[in-house]
Amino acid sequence: MFVVAPMPSASAQSASAAACLGELRGRDLLSSADLSADQTHALLGLASALKQGQLRVDLSGKVLGLIFLKASTRTRVSFSVAMGRLGGQVIDLDPSVTQVGRGEPVADTARVLSRFVDALAIRTFEQREVDEYAHWASIPVINALTDLEHPCQALADYLTLQEAFGELEGLTLSYVGDGNNVAHSLMLCGALLGVNVRVGCPPDFAPDDGILQRARSLAAAQGARVEVVHDPVAAVRGAQALYTDVWASMGKEEEKEAREQAFAGWCLNEDLLAEADPRAIVLHCLPAYRGLEISAGLIEGGASRVFDQAENRLHAQQALLAALLGGV
Ligand code: CP
Ligand code: NVA
């Protein structure tokens, strides 16, 4: 249930945002492309309102289950704190102490958990697995990171960009590094928001072609562009946001050294920042390897919004939980 604090005036825009949020009740978030452009804007607006204390949401009695098969600090803690702040609860369904880790079928786990909890946030390897949970569960399933996507991260990232520049449409975000899960969700979510997304990567580490085509078609509808280039300077030139992530994602640890060689010359550093828009901000989803994909100076420097971005995981996920569980 939403408890709306008195607002100065209820504009037509806020009524349409409320309608967009209402459409999300009971839905899954498996991919950034599960949301429409209007729904994505509405979630960012709700996140911002919650952050500024303009709105209160009551999810008392609601329970979110976490099934994480990979390590996590930010996602695990921000979901837990988000539910706590909204009056709900979290249960950590740690695979090592539940039957999940012993191989109980997803079809059974999803149907049983649907009788106990109100939503599931799942972090795993294959996208197919979260899709399967969503197929069998009768409650919302949230992708808390797969090898293919990280949609919750992208919401926090664009909230951070919106806070820095006010309007998102027409901005350029340059992602420099591995064409991975984080890059994929940035491409799709950015496309929906009318942000030009430029991915710079070595040719062997390009984003998934299906995601690229999808992002391009979503971007075209918003008058934006999604590009892939193989030169770091061309990637960042004139951009308003520079973003990078680890070169070896979870599950690819054995490729770490080979990737460090393949990515030589791709460190997001002061030289690349000098090629960007003078107002450019620096983003990283964290955790980061300083001196590899990003220089220590950039993370700690004046353009960095990395820790605001991490905080925004909390606000974006409060908005997401409110929409999926609360209704408007
Ligand atoms: N950015 C992010 O998802 O961090 P965690 O792996 O710590 O959750
Ligand atoms: N691409 C990274 C993101 C971690 C938040 C990984 O999947 O490990």
Side-chain angles (χ1 to χ4, degrees), residues 139-158:
I139 54 173
V141 173
I142 299 168
N143 177 351
L145 181 146
T146 61
D147 291 346
L148 193 68
E149 280 207 52
H150 199 359
C152 298
Q153 179 71 53
L155 288 173
D157 300 340
Y158 286 109

Side-chain angles (χ1 to χ4, degrees), residues 17 20 23 25 35 92 110-111 124 129 149 156 169 176 185 201 222 224 228 234 239 248 271 273:
C20 287
E23 293 162 6
R25 184 175 195 156
L35 300 170
D92 184 1
R111 282 179 290 179
T124 190
E129 198 177 331
E149 280 207 52
E169 223 171 271
V176 173
S185 286
C201 57
Q222 306 301 323
V228 177
D271 292 344
L273 181 60

Side-chain angles (χ1 to χ4, degrees), residues 71-76 123 150 153 250 285-287 313:
S72 170
T73 298
R74 280 143 289 269
T75 310
R76 175 185 290 283
R123 171 169 285 205
H150 199 359
Q153 179 71 53
M250 289 181 277
C285 59
L286 300 178
R313 296 295 305 278

Side-chain angles (χ1 to χ4, degrees), residues 111-127:
R111 282 179 290 179
V112 169
L113 292 176
S114 296
R115 308 286 178 108
F116 298 140
V117 303
D118 300 284
L120 286 171
I122 299 172
R123 171 169 285 205
T124 190
F125 294 85
E126 293 184 36
Q127 181 73 20

Side-chain angles (χ1 to χ4, degrees), residues 14-205:
S14 66
S16 79
C20 287
L21 294 169
E23 293 162 6
L24 293 176
R25 184 175 195 156
R27 293 262 305 271
D28 304 311
L29 181 68
L30 307 176
S31 161
S32 293
D34 287 348
L35 300 170
S36 69
D38 287 345
Q39 289 165 350
T40 307
H41 278 292
L43 278 176
L44 296 190
L46 178 58
S48 184
L50 287 165
K51 184 173 180 176
Q52 290 164 38
Q54 293 169 352
L55 203 65
R56 285 196 308 114
V57 173
D58 179 9
L59 292 184
S60 52
K62 302 283 185 188
V63 181
L64 171 71
L66 303 182
I67 302 178
F68 279 32
L69 287 93
K70 290 175 174 172
S72 170
T73 298
R74 280 143 289 269
T75 310
R76 175 185 290 283
V77 177
S78 55
F79 266 119
S80 301
V81 174
M83 274 309 269
R85 288 199 181 174
L86 299 177
Q89 274 179 267
V90 164
I91 298 184
D92 184 1
L93 300 159
D94 179 347
S96 70
V97 296
T98 59
Q99 303 287 7
V100 170
R102 294 182 60 244
E104 184 169 7
V106 166
D108 294 355
T109 306
R111 282 179 290 179
V112 169
L113 292 176
S114 296
R115 308 286 178 108
F116 298 140
V117 303
D118 300 284
L120 286 171
I122 299 172
R123 171 169 285 205
T124 190
F125 294 85
E126 293 184 36
Q127 181 73 20
R128 189 185 49 75
E129 198 177 331
V130 290
D131 294 345
E132 197 182 348
Y133 268 102
H135 174 78
W136 289 104
S138 56
I139 54 173
V141 173
I142 299 168
N143 177 351
L145 181 146
T146 61
D147 291 346
L148 193 68
E149 280 207 52
H150 199 359
C152 298
Q153 179 71 53
L155 288 173
D157 300 340
Y158 286 109
L159 177 61
T160 312
L161 189 60
Q162 184 168 278
E163 288 172 346
F165 288 93
E167 289 293 322
L168 288 170
E169 223 171 271
L171 296 178
T172 295
L173 177 141
S174 293
Y175 174 95
V176 173
D178 184 27
N180 63 14
N181 44 10
V182 168
H184 291 157
S185 286
L186 284 170
M187 290 159 68
L188 294 167
C189 191
L192 288 167
L193 292 165
V195 175
N196 301 305
V197 181
R198 211 184 289 146
V199 176
C201 57
D204 289 346
F205 298 92

